[in-house]
Amino acid sequence: MAGEPGARRAGSGLHPGAWWLWALCLGTAATRTTNPLLLALLLTVTGYVVATHRTSSPSSRSYAVFLRLGLAVLLVRLVFAVVLGSPIPGTHTLCTLPEVPLPHWAQGIRLGGRVTAEGVLFALYDGLKLATLLVCVGAANALADPARLLKSLPGALYEAGVAVVVALTFAPHLIVDARRLRAARRLRGRPDRGLRGLLQVALPVLEGALERSVALAAAMDARGYGRTADVPAPVRRTTAALTLGGLLGVCAGTYGLLTAEGGTYGLPVLLVGAAAALAGLWLGGRRSPRTRYRPDTWGPRALLVAGSGAAVGVALTLAASADPAALHPGVVPLVAPTLPLWPAAAVLLGLLPALVAPAPPVPIRPAGSRSAPGRPAGPAARGPDTAEEQPS
């Protein structure tokens, strides 16, 4: 796979699951508040940790994509509130749009009309909460390669994890092949655009992908992929019951945590469901007695990273129950949001990975390569774009 093998080895010091737990817990904390100051603090924490610890792998660029996606979600939420109105009553009118009359079967829907500051502010708080959740997921993608996380799946999910890893590995190869063929056609003076050019490029790319897939299938078959061990029938039934029941419990518990009404039963159901699912996955792993090449391990640093995110999530959940007015500033009447001190201090615990996590890996330059004229030598002189174009 194209990339930086040295960088991958250096970055294997921290388990990718720790980054994902840290980011998801920060996202859970974002769902417990609509205070724009706390949400901005969460965005600052994730942005600082990503800026200091992201690698030069292609997945690290996903953070910028998620930032744009969060901004788009925020704008869409504001546009909907302005055009379709808001259920929040208000007395501060910003403007009055021409109202379109709708048929009687569309009663309850308003198109245009009065736009109030209260409705716009409510939409802004609500959209910012969702945007922060998306940015937290983007931080997980930027800090931990999804392929490495899939390789750490338990033995029961071995086949699914390998299939996804192979798909993620082949997609960049297809893009590189398509670019190479288009460049070759341009050098020969042949068109590389339009339907004809697309077909003449797509066929060699698909042919190469098919040949590569056949070779990979032969290699995987030679290494025993897909072979499972025999387990007793009661064990198989117990595994299926624990896994299915556990996953249902995780879904129900997560729903309870993400809603204000389910704050009492959400955490116990989530813990019981997670324990049942883990027991089912452990039993299911007996069908796949395999070894792992360079497995990622949970060390003290990984535990600290995951623990800091969990501390932020738990603290914001408790704060939402203890002082809901501080975490959900009112919009009717209009009041300026204030920064609650101890929830803000709890959010700053999310900066702990910036201190304890290993430094980002440095890409290894190929032997004999030289820096461009007028540019300093060394890895720091090269950006992520240059690092991605290194030969695999």
Side-chain angles (χ1 to χ4, degrees):
M1 180 172 64
E4 301 80 20
R8 193 179 303 115
R9 285 193 298 270
S12 62
L14 194 69
H15 198 285
W19 285 123
W20 276 90
L21 283 177
W22 171 81
L24 292 180
C25 287
L26 261 62
T28 302
T31 63
R32 312 312 298 178
T33 178
T34 55
N35 191 318
L37 300 179
L38 284 177
L39 294 174
L41 195 59
L42 280 169
L43 289 174
T44 304
V45 168
T46 57
Y48 180 78
V49 175
V50 169
T52 55
H53 281 78
R54 72 174 176 178
T55 65
S56 58
S57 63
S59 63
S60 65
R61 303 176 192 173
S62 60
Y63 186 70
V65 177
F66 276 87
L67 279 177
R68 297 190 190 98
L69 182 61
L71 181 61
V73 168
L74 182 60
L75 293 178
V76 168
R77 183 69 179 86
L78 288 175
V79 168
F80 275 21
V82 170
V83 176
L84 300 179
S86 173
I88 302 299
T91 57
H92 297 77
T93 303
L94 297 177
C95 62
T96 303
L97 299 177
E99 188 167 356
V100 178
L102 298 177
H104 67 280
W105 51 264
Q107 289 182 356
I109 302 176
R110 182 170 64 87
L111 193 59
R114 196 165 60 96
V115 180
T116 63
E118 289 85 350
V120 172
L121 199 60
F122 177 79
L124 176 65
Y125 291 172
D126 199 43
L128 186 60
K129 180 174 69 173
L130 183 56
T132 306
L133 178 60
L134 289 173
V135 171
C136 290
V137 176
N141 276 279
L143 293 169
D145 191 349
R148 276 186 57 204
L149 181 64
L150 290 171
K151 290 177 184 176
S152 302
L153 288 175
L157 303 176
Y158 173 77
E159 285 82 3
V162 171
V164 176
V165 168
V166 170
L168 292 176
T169 305
F170 268 55
H173 281 290
L174 293 180
I175 297 174
V176 171
D177 288 347
R179 288 179 178 174
R180 180 173 51 82
L181 289 172
R182 290 184 62 186
R185 290 183 63 82
R186 283 196 299 269
L187 290 175
R188 292 167 183 160
R190 298 176 182 175
D192 62 323
R193 298 179 182 276
L195 181 60
R196 184 179 178 183
L198 178 63
L199 291 177
Q200 293 181 352
V201 170
L203 289 178
V205 170
L206 292 178
E207 183 182 357
L210 181 61
E211 292 178 353
R212 195 177 295 125
S213 301
V214 171
L216 177 63
M220 293 172 71
D221 182 69
R223 288 166 174 79
Y225 175 77
R227 299 170 190 171
T228 58
D230 292 331
V231 295
V235 175
R236 290 200 300 270
R237 287 193 289 269
T238 305
T239 301
L242 286 175
T243 305
L244 184 60
L247 292 179
L248 289 176
V250 169
C251 293
T254 304
Y255 176 78
L257 284 179
L258 295 179
T259 57
E261 294 79 8
T264 55
Y265 70 86
L267 185 59
V269 174
L270 176 62
L271 293 178
V272 172
L278 290 176
L281 292 177
W282 177 75
L283 284 177
R286 297 175 63 181
R287 297 179 67 246
S288 300
R290 293 179 173 86
T291 58
R292 296 180 186 276
Y293 178 68
R294 286 180 177 171
D296 291 308
T297 57
W298 284 85
R301 293 183 175 185
L303 294 176
L304 285 174
V305 170
S308 66
V312 175
V314 171
L316 267 292
T317 301
L318 295 177
S321 302
D323 191 7
L327 269 68
H328 299 278
V331 295
V332 182
L334 286 175
V335 292
T338 58
L339 183 65
L341 292 181
W342 74 265
V347 172
L348 293 180
L349 291 176
L351 288 173
L352 186 62
L355 302 175
V356 301
V362 178
I364 297 177
R365 294 175 63 87
S369 63
R370 297 180 178 178
S371 59
R375 298 181 61 185
R382 295 184 293 132
D385 294 341
T386 309
E388 188 191 11
E389 294 171 359
Q390 296 298 328
S392 59

